[in-house]
Amino acid sequence: MASSSPINQPRSIRWSWQLISVLLVLFTLGPVAHAAADRPGPAIAEQALQALLATQRAASQDCAAPNNTLQNALCTGRLRIGIRTTYKGFGVQAAGELVGFEIDFARHIAKVLGVTPEFVSVTAADRIRKLIDGDIDMILATMAHTPERAEIVSFIRPHYYASPTAVAGLKSRQVSTLDDMALVSICVPLGSYANITFAQADARMLIFDKPQRMFDALRFGACDLVAHDRSLILGEVTGPLAPDDMQAQYEEKFSFNEISWGMAVRHEDADTLGRALALITVSAHGQGVLIDLAKRHGVHAAFLDSQQQLWSDANCLSPDATFMTSCLLEPPNIGDAPSALAPHVNAFQQWLQDHLDIEVQLPMLSGEEGFNLFKRGIAVSIILVISSIAATILFGLLFYQLSRSSLAVVRWLSGAIRILSLNAPLILLLVLAYLIMSGFVIYSAPIAVLTAVLAIGLNNGAPAGEALIAAAKTLDRNPALVDVLNVSMVQVRACVINAAKSSPVGAFIGAPELLSVLTDITSFSGERAVTFTLLAVFYILTVQLVIVASGLVATRLQRSLGSGARHA
Amino acid sequence: MLENIWLFLDAFTINLRVGSIALLIGLLIGFASALLRARNRSATAKLTGFFVGFLRAFPVYVLMFVAVNLLASLGLFDALTSKQSAEAALVIALSAYTISTCSDAWLAFLQNRDQGQHSQAWLVIPNLIQIYVITVMSSSVGAAIGLQEAVTFTLNLAESLPTRNERLLLVFLVVLFFATIMGLTRWGVKRVSAMVIQAPAKRQMSSTG
């Protein structure tokens, strides 16, 4: 009986078998080998991905005990992906359906993994918390890779997208660099690190937590400029996908600070789901999948072309699909560096969390830039309050003295200025003072404070002057100033208190007082609750202090005037 | 030119609307707080007095920013557009002023009425008119949070003018507009108040005469 084993077959037949086997292997592996030669990067990544998935399936013991997010997704056939649903071009809900570059990339990832994507809507504010809380398995939601965020979650590299911050505005508006932005009002997204740059440029920021609200504000004229990732500016304001009226009116002025966007997973999933996502991204870059998707949704960026070039050959991958670190982009260090107080502040925040279950952030103390701004804001506010009070008293006395001038023209002119200053809204007086001052001197922060002091002094000094003049009429023909002050003390004191209350309005013309700097800090830190509570407490205490101090001064003055009168 | 005047007046209706809502809130809460404050020496009166004093010391401008940021961070403005949330923040800020001043005006009214000084009590009306006008004028701080009221309209229009002098002239004219309204109101209130105060004396003189 002839054996079927080739070993026992005659040599010619054995050679024939070997030849057929070699041909079969070449025939089967030919296209793969060709593809690998054509796109070695993607081929290596795909091979590594299949090996990883096989290992994970095996490790889950036929899904009896999945012990990480990837195994769980492979077993349940579902992957929960946090996506944006209000970000044009990247993720929006249109006619009940999700569309966008990130949505399609998420679908691509799910297809490669062999699972069904489950989309969970996230915002810039809650995406990391949802991942940490286990509400989602991964983030694919326009998230810039920063060192601060990387401490909390694991970013996937290579990055899948990158976008600079673009500044757009009315075509008629003359702004071309950051140097042109002093006092210019700009709508910015809450918590964007690019806002540090605008704060340093002395721009007046209006903060919005939702992109749509921000563009809505730009449309109705709340701000002169708008800043966001260029991808969104293109989609909403200047690009071909933007509404016609926006395209007609607005244009991109300049852009800066390109930042890479990364998907993110929990730290414990970095070597499993994170690794799988990284390999899928390599393949998607190398094969041009991401370029196709970006073009389809009108968000194509030069970054994608450079990444395709990088990952389409084998230079960035070792044979076991380890990434060359030189091919991976590091997150830019654009956040606020820790201040000298940071360790104590962090310890205090942790103590509050542990003992009182209160989650508090103090960016004005923990960050270097934030702390410097905060210190400057408090100092300027105190200077502004004291100077405004002094200016109010001085203008009051000046108006009173001018009203007693022997020259009719002086009396008439000072009366006209007094009535105008008394009845005009402070904010318009500030703008008027700003327009006059900026015509004579180079406008800067100290000049802004001086201008604010003059306008606040005029606005509150005018009623103080009125009170002095009215008091003088109730006294002798030529009353002494101390007697006039004594009679009008209540009204003058009210003007002094009002000057302290009005002082934060100086922020409107660029005085870098506490309200102004805390708005800046909020814009890049994203924290609002504690910051604005602190602001409220500061000004309430300041005004209360002025009320108490002015009361004491008034009482003492009246006593000394009274005793003086008795002695006389 | 004429079109800009119409647009300005149209924007001014936002000041009037915001001022009216804030006054209405002030009238209601102010009256309730005045009733409580009128109960001499009670703990409720003291507490209400403290509350009114607290609102009086709160700078409107700061409160507007606190409202726009703090309430937004709590999600209270989620259902509103940016325009509506700016208006809501401004109304809240101005209400702190109207509540405290209306409370004082109502308290004076109640005290004068209880003391039988009825004509003095009716001074509350010119006082409330003055509060309303000051509130409308103060609503111009809404420009800082992008509300499209009369001052914001003026500033945007000024921005489109080519020279500084033209801008100065425009802002000056709008200052004159506001100052005239405010000045006339103050003058009217002063006259009416004087008439109200002098009325009993005149009546007495005519009856004795």
Side-chain angles (χ1 to χ4, degrees), chain A residues 173 204 206-210 213 216-217 220-222 224 419-420 422-429 431-432 434-436 438-439 466 500-501 504-505 507-508 515 519 522 528-530 532-533 535-536 539-540 543-544 547, chain B residues 53-59 61-62 65-66 68-70 72-73 77-83 85 137 140-141 143-148 151-152 154-156 159 164 167-168 171-172 174-176 178-179 182-183 186 190:
Chain A
R173 198 78 167 77
R204 202 154 51 80
L206 292 178
I207 307 162
F208 295 86
D209 51 359
K210 288 178 183 153
R213 201 178 277 246
D216 178 34
F220 86 79
D224 299 331
I419 290 168
L420 206 66
L422 171 74
N423 292 307
L426 175 57
I427 212 139
L428 273 176
L429 273 187
V431 174
L432 204 60
Y434 159 70
L435 284 172
I436 294 168
S438 57
E466 287 265 299
K501 276 175 73 178
V505 189
F508 190 72
L515 168 64
T519 305
T522 291
R528 287 191 284 188
V530 176
F532 280 89
T533 306
L535 176 76
Y539 272 108
I540 288 170
V543 175
Q544 289 295 347
I547 290 171
Chain B
F54 172 80
L55 290 182
R56 200 183 289 123
F58 215 138
Y61 194 73
V62 173
F65 275 88
V66 170
V68 89
N69 286 286
L70 205 57
S73 75
F77 288 164
D78 279 359
L80 306 179
T81 64
S82 57
K83 202 173 175 178
S85 49
M137 299 294 133
S140 58
V141 295
I145 53 168
L147 191 69
Q148 283 296 290
V151 169
T152 312
T154 308
L155 298 182
N156 288 343
E159 204 63 59
R164 180 187 304 277
R167 292 176 190 184
L168 259 171
V171 174
F172 183 72
V174 178
V175 166
L176 266 184
F178 277 102
M182 191 66 196
R186 277 187 207 268
K190 212 182 264 183

Side-chain angles (χ1 to χ4, degrees), chain A residues 354-436:
Chain A
D354 295 344
H355 293 84
L356 304 172
D357 201 23
I358 299 173
E359 201 178 326
V360 167
Q361 283 180 47
L362 299 164
M364 71 296 295
L365 299 177
S366 58
E368 194 179 14
E369 180 71 20
F371 189 44
N372 288 337
L373 282 171
F374 185 58
K375 283 188 291 187
R376 189 178 71 161
I378 288 185
V380 171
S381 284
I382 292 170
I383 291 169
L384 200 54
V385 167
I386 295 171
S387 310
S388 299
I389 290 171
T392 296
I393 295 168
L394 285 176
F395 274 116
L397 293 172
L398 184 68
F399 281 128
Y400 170 68
Q401 289 299 345
L402 291 177
S403 75
R404 301 174 64 78
S405 168
S406 54
L407 293 170
V409 66
V410 173
R411 288 199 306 274
W412 184 85
L413 204 63
S414 72
I417 294 172
R418 193 180 69 239
I419 290 168
L420 206 66
S421 309
L422 171 74
N423 292 307
L426 175 57
I427 212 139
L428 273 176
L429 273 187
L430 280 164
V431 174
L432 204 60
Y434 159 70
L435 284 172
I436 294 168

Side-chain angles (χ1 to χ4, degrees), chain A residues 68-70 137 154 265-275:
Chain A
N68 64 48
T69 305
L70 179 58
D137 299 324
S154 286
V265 296
R266 287 178 284 275
H267 283 318
E268 63 266 28
D269 291 326
D271 295 333
T272 50
L273 179 60
R275 169 79 175 151

